[in-house]
Amino acid sequence: MSILVSGATGFIALHVVSDLLKQDYKVIGTVRSQEKANKLRKQFDNNPNLSFELVSDIAAPEAFDKVFKKHGKDIKVVLHTASPVTVETTNYEKDLLLPAVNGTKSILESIKKYAADSVERVVITSSYASVMNVSKEGDGSIVYTEKDWNPATWENCQIDGLNAYCGSKKLAEKAAWDFFEENKNVVKFKMSTINPTYVFGPQLFDEDVNDKLNASCELINSIVKNNPQVEYLLENIKSHFVDVRDVAKAHLVAFQKDEAVGRRLLTSNGRFAYQDLVDVINEDFPQLKGKVIVGKPGTGKQSYGTFPGINNNRSKEILGFEFISLHKTVHDTAAQVLKKEGKL
Ligand code: NDP
């Protein structure tokens, strides 16, 4: 039996693939090009349990059909992680909404067509973005749980990159649950979603630490690199975090534990303000003294009451493991960047 991981090149997906291989699963990863498959094959030391299929654009009609036509009977678990992660676009439909929503619908349609009797579990990588209401980000009286939904619609989320990204995640996740409801008597699988907040932590492979990192880790990279936008980020970024290693673990628990069936697993380990990230970097890496922003050390917590909270006790109970702390996730992310730059 095999596990299909869509978007295997992704920051989160690489940790998922690594965890799956450590537990001796056979993994089929979808990637956008042969070059990407070749690179991953090498990075995973030609592990015989890892193979690849090309899906160059998840937004294309029937994008996953050929994968399920070929492997459908062998695939028992599908982890759909592929989705664009950016807020830096104005072409909201092409760059965010269509790949997120059509990609999710099409992987589920392909399962229905070619693997309705063989796929047993599906895990969709959704987001806290599909839980929270972007227009209420300044409301400290709200406490979100796994039951909450971002009210975004296709039309009203196309205001800016942030609204469109959050809308893309909400609409994709909603499409998945709707598909499940409409087809639960036709398909065998049970479904769960993983809804992470900002995901920090190291890239699986040091060599993938580029000048610019994936969208969420770039927040930490921007401090280490002292990028021009740090002043703006210091004023504006406050949210919730989780480490990539915990998000990867959650993907495995989601299909391994019965309690996870039908659940939205909100993976988050607490609040952070950008000042908190700045503080860890200044405390832990004295070699950056005088070269990175300092802000007002110790004041991050003062903003915690000014944005919505999260109560994800139910998810944590189901997942059943301790989450990595803010200090460790920020330290490990920054340390990997410094190591790459020869400054550790
Ligand atoms: P990455 O950008 O590292 O990974 C995204 C993956 O999706 C890559 O494999 C990418 O392929 C693939 N992809 C994107 N668009 C397409 C497309 N049109 N066709 C085919 N493949 C595509 O991001 P993350 O690992 O951070 O995100 C993975 C998932 O986790 C996403 O669903 C994201 O929404 C979700 N998430 C992430 C959070 C975070 O803070 N990082 C927080 C909450 C949810 P390629 O590498 O070739 O570009």
Side-chain angles (χ1 to χ4, degrees):
M1 82 102 161
S2 292
I3 299 189
L4 185 82
V5 180
S6 70
T9 47
F11 166 57
I12 294 172
L14 284 170
H15 285 271
V16 172
V17 169
S18 169
D19 284 3
L20 290 169
L21 293 172
K22 280 186 200 145
Q23 294 190 20
D24 287 330
Y25 289 108
K26 279 176 74 180
V27 179
I28 302 169
T30 72
V31 293
R32 292 210 240 198
S33 70
Q34 192 55 50
E35 292 70 42
K36 292 187 180 191
N38 295 346
K39 181 180 171 206
L40 287 192
R41 194 168 282 124
K42 221 166 127 197
Q43 286 181 315
F44 282 101
D45 292 329
N46 293 309
N47 189 316
N49 281 339
L50 179 60
S51 62
F52 299 97
E53 291 296 336
L54 301 189
V55 175
S56 57
D57 184 7
I58 52 172
E62 302 175 340
F64 288 93
D65 270 15
K66 64 180 189 325
V67 178
F68 283 91
K69 235 185 232 176
K70 186 168 162 193
H71 297 285
K73 298 291 159 236
D74 176 44
I75 296 172
K76 291 264 183 301
V77 177
V78 173
L79 309 181
H80 179 51
T81 82
S83 206
V85 186
T86 182
V87 292
E88 290 167 10
T89 176
T90 49
N91 200 340
Y92 309 124
E93 290 198 345
K94 179 174 165 291
D95 293 341
L96 287 166
L97 291 160
L98 288 168
V101 177
N102 289 1
T104 303
K105 283 183 181 166
S106 90
I107 201 164
L108 297 174
E109 286 292 350
S110 299
I111 297 172
K112 181 180 166 186
K113 262 194 256 175
Y114 299 106
D117 296 332
S118 40
V119 171
E120 292 171 2
R121 297 290 276 264
V122 171
V123 180
I124 306 279
T125 314
S126 186
S127 176
Y128 172 56
S130 82
V131 172
M132 58 119 165
N133 181 342
V134 188
S135 70
K136 299 222 164 132
E137 265 307 84
D139 186 343
S141 70
I142 298 173
V143 178
Y144 292 117
T145 73
E146 297 83 353
K147 294 197 176 100
D148 290 302
W149 280 92
N150 173 348
T153 64
W154 188 278
E155 292 73 26
N156 77 13
C157 76
Q158 298 188 47
I159 309 170
D160 58 21
L162 177 66
N163 276 275
Y165 172 71
C166 294
S168 79
K169 295 306 290 178
K170 180 269 173 107
L171 295 166
E173 187 192 331
K174 182 76 173 46
W177 288 116
D178 287 350
F179 178 97
F180 179 74
E181 216 28 60
E182 284 155 23
N183 293 282
K184 62 183 176 204
N185 299 323
V186 188
V187 296
K188 182 178 178 183
F189 70 77
K190 305 273 182 264
M191 201 173 85
S192 323
T193 64
I194 306 291
N195 297 63
T197 49
Y198 269 100
V199 184
F200 300 139
Q203 308 295 314
L204 183 68
F205 299 110
D206 288 349
E207 67 169 317
D208 290 336
V209 175
N210 297 318
D211 229 28
K212 193 165 180 194
L213 294 182
N214 62 290
S216 47
C217 292
E218 188 53 25
L219 281 187
I220 294 169
N221 195 31
S222 65
I223 302 169
V224 178
K225 297 253 173 23
N226 202 29
N227 286 346
Q229 69 272 30
V230 288
E231 297 284 353
Y232 171 83
L233 296 173
L234 190 64
E235 287 302 309
N236 291 287
I237 294 290
K238 43 196 180 184
S239 188
H240 300 260
F241 78 95
V242 60
D243 187 274
V244 67
R245 292 159 288 194
D246 290 333
V247 176
K249 245 191 225 177
H251 279 77
L252 274 74
V253 174
F255 72 81
Q256 291 170 332
K257 267 196 181 174
D258 286 343
E259 298 96 294
V261 164
R263 297 277 176 187
R264 302 172 83 206
L265 298 163
L266 186 45
T267 52
S268 182
N269 198 26
R271 299 178 192 250
F272 76 93
Y274 196 73
Q275 179 69 56
D276 300 323
L277 315 183
V278 168
D279 288 353
V280 172
I281 290 169
N282 278 287
E283 279 161 28
D284 287 10
F285 304 105
Q287 63 272 49
L288 293 175
K289 200 172 162 51
K291 295 183 184 141
V292 297
I293 192 170
V294 174
K296 295 187 186 124
T299 60
K301 285 192 174 56
Q302 290 173 9
S303 68
Y304 285 10
T306 65
F307 59 98
I310 291 179
N311 177 343
N312 63 338
N313 290 344
R314 186 74 189 109
S315 298
K316 283 190 158 177
E317 207 175 287
I318 293 167
L319 291 169
F321 57 81
E322 274 296 309
F323 282 31
I324 290 169
S325 69
L326 181 66
H327 196 111
K328 181 168 170 55
T329 194
V330 177
H331 177 101
D332 292 355
T333 313
Q336 194 184 37
V337 173
L338 289 170
K339 186 174 164 201
K340 180 80 179 231
E341 293 180 345
K343 292 184 188 157
L344 197 61

